[in-house]
Amino acid sequence: MADITKITPVDIRSDYNVMVAYGDMHIPYHNKKCRDILMAIIAEAQPDYLLSGGDDIDAEAISFYDKDLSQEGTLERDLELFYSFSEYLNDNFPKMKKIYLQDNHLYTRLEKHKKLVSWMQNMKIFTFESLIKADELGWKVYNEFVWRDTILFTHGHEEKGSSDNPVNTVRSNFKRC
């Protein structure tokens, strides 16, 4: 039997990248305990990549749904909370690459407003990347992200299918591949 005290430990991180994926935080309505668990996982795993599946920002203020006064938040407040979250990630995990998938809360709502208000269409300040300060805070924004030609990550908000049955939505999305 081999003496296990003489076995050299293998550093798997030299051969593999580690990714932590999460989604639908919905700032400012996020569950702070869940966010703290996510931060603990990131601290433990020290991932090379962090992938947000989208909807980090709820953006209720620009939704087209009827709202009562208790729901009238501001987009600026939501963005400021997201900036703080991103700055925390940058300060504590400076080497980690961050990926953000376009979503149906901020991205799609913003695009709908831009279609309705012509003067917003060509203003750089009203791009998704500008609003989340993607360059400044180190986020790469994609509609979909393919990991090592193996896994496709997408928020899925643009695809056809029944929102009542996510399994059928996934099936219909990938029949076209």
Side-chain angles (χ1 to χ4, degrees):
M1 182 177 263
D3 181 1
I4 62 170
T5 62
K6 296 184 180 181
I7 295 175
T8 306
V10 177
D11 179 14
I12 64 167
R13 293 195 62 103
S14 65
D15 294 325
Y16 298 97
N17 287 323
V18 174
M19 176 187 284
V20 170
Y22 73 97
D24 293 271
M25 194 175 335
H26 291 276
I27 292 169
Y29 303 110
H30 59 292
N31 182 314
K32 290 165 183 61
K33 288 181 182 178
C34 289
R35 183 209 49 216
D36 292 346
I37 291 169
L38 173 63
M39 294 299 103
I41 291 169
I42 294 169
E44 179 69 26
Q46 294 290 313
D48 301 291
Y49 293 87
L50 178 68
L51 184 135
S52 167
D55 288 351
D56 276 3
I57 302 164
D58 192 78
E60 185 174 52
I62 62 170
S63 78
F64 289 90
Y65 301 108
D66 291 335
K67 297 176 274 303
D68 63 37
L69 290 177
S70 68
Q71 296 172 298
E72 290 289 339
T74 67
L75 183 58
E76 184 174 30
R77 175 209 54 199
D78 298 359
L79 290 167
E80 290 295 333
L81 290 168
F82 176 75
Y83 302 155
S84 294
F85 168 70
S86 298
E87 289 164 356
Y88 175 86
L89 293 172
N90 290 344
D91 291 346
N92 291 280
F93 312 99
K95 294 181 183 178
M96 181 175 68
K97 296 174 182 83
K98 297 186 300 300
I99 300 161
Y100 195 117
L101 297 180
Q102 294 171 346
D103 55 30
N104 61 305
H105 275 252
L106 180 58
Y107 178 79
T108 300
R109 289 172 179 172
L110 177 65
E111 292 304 307
K112 285 180 181 179
H113 278 283
K114 287 166 57 175
K115 286 179 183 176
L116 294 172
V117 183
S118 60
W119 61 265
M120 290 177 70
Q121 293 174 7
N122 295 319
M123 292 186 68
K124 293 178 184 175
I125 190 72
F126 291 116
T127 65
F128 180 77
E129 291 81 358
S130 177
L131 284 177
I132 68 164
K133 296 183 180 180
D135 288 341
E136 182 181 330
L137 296 171
W139 290 94
K140 297 294 182 192
V141 177
Y142 300 97
N143 183 45
E144 59 185 34
F145 181 74
V146 178
W147 177 256
R148 308 240 174 201
D149 293 326
T150 305
I151 301 172
L152 170 66
F153 293 94
T154 180
H155 188 74
H157 63 282
E158 293 178 344
E159 305 305 330
K160 295 188 185 320
S162 168
S163 61
D164 295 332
N165 190 337
V167 172
N168 288 339
T169 300
V170 171
R171 286 183 185 136
S172 67
N173 290 344
F174 290 96
K175 282 181 183 177
R176 61 186 171 86
C177 293

